[in-house]
Amino acid sequence: MKAYVTLSFALLLCSAAPAQAAPLGTRTVLDNGATLLVAERPGIPMVVMTILLKTGAAADPDGKAGLANLTAVLLTRGTKKHSAQALAEELDFLGASLAVDADHETTTISLTTLTKNLEPALGLLSEVLISPTFPVPELERKRKEIEGGLRSHEEDPGWVAHKAFVEKLYPHHPFGRLVEGQPTTLDTLTQAEVKKFHQTYYRPNNAIIALAGEISQEQAVNLLRTQFAGWQPAAIPPLVWPDSRQSSAERVTLDRKVSQANVILGHAGIARANPDYYTVQVMNYILGGGGFGSRLMDKIREELALVYSVSSSFVARKHPGPFIVGLQTKNASATQAVEESVQVIRRFIEQGASKEELAAAQAYLINSFPLRLVSNRDVAALLPVMEFYELGLDYPDRYPDLIGQVTLEQVHNAAKTYLHPDQLLQVVVADLAEAGLGKQ
Amino acid sequence: MKAYVTLSFALLLCSAAPAQAAPLGTRTVLDNGATLLVAERPGIPMVVMTILLKTGAAADPDGKAGLANLTAVLLTRGTKKHSAQALAEELDFLGASLAVDADHETTTISLTTLTKNLEPALGLLSEVLISPTFPVPELERKRKEIEGGLRSHEEDPGWVAHKAFVEKLYPHHPFGRLVEGQPTTLDTLTQAEVKKFHQTYYRPNNAIIALAGEISQEQAVNLLRTQFAGWQPAAIPPLVWPDSRQSSAERVTLDRKVSQANVILGHAGIARANPDYYTVQVMNYILGGGGFGSRLMDKIREELALVYSVSSSFVARKHPGPFIVGLQTKNASATQAVEESVQVIRRFIEQGASKEELAAAQAYLINSFPLRLVSNRDVAALLPVMEFYELGLDYPDRYPDLIGQVTLEQVHNAAKTYLHPDQLLQVVVADLAEAGLGKQ
């Protein structure tokens, strides 16, 4: 196996010359301040369009958690020209799909349509974007729907663990609040607040627009000029983020009648712009990102048979997201699984990675990257993210080098710098009696 | 709205001449009996391969439910040349992904890889397919994993409702059993039985192989000849399916501490080969398949505000699958939601559809079809299904006509023929006290 890996890796490096040496798309800044990215990909008569707004739930005012999300989900529920129902029917009629989704840092609007229907579909999208009416009955319905969703989620132990984890890790910080808000804050949201949120943040100078598919840059510019003529820029209020504190080793236990314990371990991680980002990705792949070959899987699943699956990840955004280890195990083995996971992390920090582990991680990350950038949907999703994180349009071409040049020493340093086994926050959602964790 | 719909539909029909008039791929039958379908799609240096075996959980012997699934999930857990771990590591190294999935009627193996790594990836796939070893420790682990999964699912009210529904609708019939089996049958499965299942059904003359991506038919034939040389045909034992009985109006109630009731209504439906299949799809779109515009959504969500979502579907396979209406609602409104849904079905049978409803359904189905057939993955998934159901390689080109020629009268007849409100089996998983349904 070892000989095979080394030989194959040499072969892979030889053939790693990028097949696709052109940038992924073109970039223009429109008169209204929007950044436009176009990837012309002829062949299939369709277009996928993504509008990324650089504002999400982090902009929810104090006590108003859920406002960005409520604004996003109401966007398609009525415009000056169309009721929610009429809008849905017209989109269906075109075979087009339109989705809006808010995250902590961004809001994303996605449109998929046949090229021949792009113009009417864009017309509907522009109504939704520029002149939504946020009717009160729709607001009341969505509020109830979101609250009902939160109640249902409370029955999902994995969700409960995640919520407890972020609340504890990020107190008084946007990442510690659910994008959906909570019943007490949702109950206070008004139509006026939703309208104001929309007027403030849904602005072209706060937007990255990406189109991928059977469309040229010129066509895209002309269409946007016509269809989005009424979209006016405005000053976007800056958002002040609090610092995220370092966590301390602490255990949060939640008692539920479950057959399997849900466990999350973690602490503060890194931002996407961290210069060690690629090294950290390689390091984490070896620790727990890499499925069957990872240190955590080797020990906790293959050797000890405590879990079916265990994985780790660094969630890297504009602001530092968490480092997370997640696993499910029998109630009775929850504490053992936690202890063994911490030991795996400690040993990894001591030892660093092996040559074979590094080669396997690099081969996987380099070889699988182009397979995640295949469809128009993939491209339209990645383009605005590349712009948001300032990665450059040649990012896909540079990726193999960014990963390939990571050294063993860098991986070891990254493990020592970014893994903190003494600061791991532990959340255990389990039948606490069975888990031997007493009751809170 | 009405004028717009009619005008737009005329325009859509005018421009509906197929952009892609060539068949989706080529078809060959190999010497070993396997059917090979290849869609050469240059541009992106990748290939997606799907092998569909025409046998699934329906072939599980009496008392051995779960055998087909256990065989499928163990396929990648060890071969004559590679341990499970080594296999996973080599696939990761190539950046390739390999998945095996059993359903009631079929088993599907999917491989995604860069073209440059196709040969070594196919080598691994051929080992998995032809010489898996099904090691006993892996079998024991998977058995426990599947049993653990079944226990976790018991905590999911939607899953509980679905299980109760199929068990009641299909007694003594493969569709009434879970593909995963159940603990009592799983406990009896042996390595010898898994090996025999594999030897019996994993045969080229029982297989449809599809490749989509940067590969020609000639390359595919040559690669398969080399890599799958050891794959020998054998007689496949025929499977005798019992008839599925008609259901009678019956209510099954299951008491759970849940905030939302999960409701399934349904009865026996149609097979994929039913000549009315396309009419039934259009009819069901109008009844409850079509999101916001559907009869069920209009009444149960928009007018009565009892649910966030309600939908209906006909699951059409080789053998007749069920017609299903699914909804979630507050415990207290469960019985009202059921009664109103039944009324919607009755009225639909009486009235039939309107011209506008038919036009909207046809426009959606015709316009959205090509958007679901975009990526190599989409094509590699559809090709073997087209062969399995004998739809012909020009199916995507014929689809607009198959849907477009459905008439109002046919829709009305299909509603009368295939909807049976007097035979609806009802499953309600709810807090029965809150639902006013007493306790069983």
Side-chain angles (χ1 to χ4, degrees), chain B residues 346-360:
Chain B
R346 286 194 198 285
R347 270 195 303 276
F348 186 45
I349 293 172
E350 280 164 29
Q351 303 168 345
S354 70
K355 262 189 218 174
E356 291 74 18
E357 285 175 321
L358 175 60

Side-chain angles (χ1 to χ4, degrees), chain A residues 57-75:
Chain A
D60 289 348
D62 271 352
K64 297 289 177 184
L67 179 57
N69 181 60
L70 186 63
T71 307
V73 298
L74 282 174
L75 214 62

Side-chain angles (χ1 to χ4, degrees), chain A residues 278-291:
Chain A
Y278 301 96
T279 304
V280 168
Q281 292 306 308
V282 172
M283 181 270 283
N284 179 66
Y285 180 91
I286 297 167
L287 172 63

